[in-house]
Amino acid sequence: MTRTKAEQDRYALPGSPPTDEDLRHEAALTRAEIGETVAALRHRADVKARMREAAQHRMALLHDAMNATTDHAHRLAGTVRAHPVLAGGVATIAAALVMLTIWS
């Protein structure tokens, strides 16, 4: 809740005191701003809840990554079953590269 330009000009004019309605409106704005500030401070002070939220978020990310890895492994296993000669050739080349790396 912010003041409009007209309200700001009205409060800024010297010699024209604010009306009762202006004061009530100003008090309502102040109460709303204080309420928002208190809510923000309460949230920041609740470290336990914030840590729980962060842990839940990380667990969800981990769960998603685990599902993606499982799906990838199932697809890879299907490819190996469909093309066993190709999979054997790739495994042989990988083993040879590892051996060359170790012996170098």
Side-chain angles (χ1 to χ4, degrees):
M1 300 178 107
T2 59
R3 293 183 191 166
T4 64
K5 177 71 171 137
E7 289 171 335
Q8 290 174 352
D9 291 343
R10 184 172 190 174
Y11 288 110
L13 292 175
S16 61
T19 65
D20 288 343
E21 182 182 335
D22 293 335
L23 294 174
R24 279 193 280 287
H25 183 69
E26 177 67 18
L29 285 174
T30 302
R31 277 193 297 277
E33 290 171 355
I34 289 173
E36 291 170 4
T37 302
V38 168
L41 288 173
R42 184 180 306 128
H43 178 71
R44 289 191 68 179
D46 193 359
V47 175
K48 185 177 179 180
R50 287 179 34 214
M51 297 313 289
R52 187 179 310 117
E53 289 172 5
Q56 288 172 347
H57 177 69
R58 284 184 172 74
M59 287 297 290
L61 291 176
L62 181 61
H63 184 70
D64 292 345
M66 187 174 65
N67 285 338
T69 303
T70 303
D71 292 342
H72 182 68
H74 286 294
R75 284 194 308 272
L76 184 60
T79 302
V80 169
R81 279 189 215 105
H83 306 286
V85 174
L86 177 64
V90 170
T92 303
I93 292 171
L97 289 174
V98 169
M99 295 278 200
L100 286 174
T101 304
I102 292 172
W103 288 339
S104 296

